[in-house]
């Protein structure tokens, strides 16, 4: 029996990527554990690798994907804000000297920036537009981590 090598980041990342791929194929956790053992071999896996470990790998992989997306979104936002700043800077002098077209463009840039940053008041939510069961369940599920908000929505929809 080979000595277990310490788990490193490359092995973990490779294993979690494989877990995600197999889960996307619809395999159950125990099936994934079996496939992982076949493909990587016992010396490449943490001791006791099983279905519960697969679940842990999956949660961590999904959390990493979410973190990566959030980072990419923040980078994109910074880039877009820089572009808006450059556009505004290019039109600012003309706008301040009374060029109405430049004023309109600067205002549009400012509106876009406010939209990106969430500075404007949100549009009103029309709860009467669609209160079918599926929509209500989706909304309440989305508010699972916010019990007060979840209760307030449930109360509003029930007319309490």
């Amino acid at each position: 029996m080979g000595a277990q090598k310490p788990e490193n980041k490359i092995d973990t990342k490779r294993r979690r990527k494989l877990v995600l791929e197999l889960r996307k194929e619809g395999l159950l956790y125990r099936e994934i554990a079996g496939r992982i053992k076949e493909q990587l071999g016992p010396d490449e896996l943490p001791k006791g690798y099983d279905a519960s470990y697969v679940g842990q790998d999956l949660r961590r992989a999904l959390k990493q994907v979410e973190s990566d997306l959030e980072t990419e979104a923040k980078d994109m936002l910074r880039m877009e804000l820089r572009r808006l700043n450059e556009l505004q800077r290019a039109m600012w002098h003309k706008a301040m000297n009374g060029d109405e077209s430049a004023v309109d463009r600067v205002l549009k840039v400012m509106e876009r920036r406010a939209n990106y940053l969430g500075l404007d008041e949100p549009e009103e939510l029309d709860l009467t537009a669609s209160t079918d069961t599926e929509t209500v369940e989706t909304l309440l599920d989305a508010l699972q981590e916010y019990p007060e908000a979840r209760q307030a929505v449930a109360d509003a929809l029930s007319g309490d």
Side-chain angles (χ1 to χ4, degrees), residues 113-131:
R113 182 183 299 110
N115 181 274
Y116 278 150
L117 296 174
L119 299 176
D120 293 330
E121 288 287 320
E123 293 181 27
E124 282 193 37
L125 180 62
D126 182 8
L127 291 177
T128 61
S130 176
T131 54

Side-chain angles (χ1 to χ4, degrees), residues 42-111:
D43 291 342
E44 297 291 322
L45 297 171
K47 188 175 181 169
Y49 194 82
D50 61 4
S52 66
Y53 215 116
V54 167
Q56 183 180 359
D57 271 349
L58 186 61
R59 283 187 298 280
R60 288 182 176 163
L62 291 172
K63 192 173 210 167
Q64 184 61 50
V65 167
E66 184 179 309
S67 175
D68 291 348
L69 287 174
E70 187 175 313
T71 299
E72 286 181 39
K74 285 179 183 177
D75 289 345
M76 179 65 86
L77 176 61
R78 278 192 287 275
M79 181 184 68
E80 290 298 324
L81 290 172
R82 274 195 303 273
R83 288 176 176 169
L84 290 173
N85 289 342
E86 290 171 16
L87 285 170
Q88 183 173 332
R89 191 175 10 252
M91 300 303 299
W92 188 256
H93 184 70
K94 288 180 182 180
M96 295 308 290
N97 284 323
D99 182 332
E100 291 179 15
S101 175
V103 169
D104 288 341
R105 289 182 184 158
V106 167
L107 288 173
K108 285 186 183 211
V109 166
M110 292 171 72
E111 286 173 12

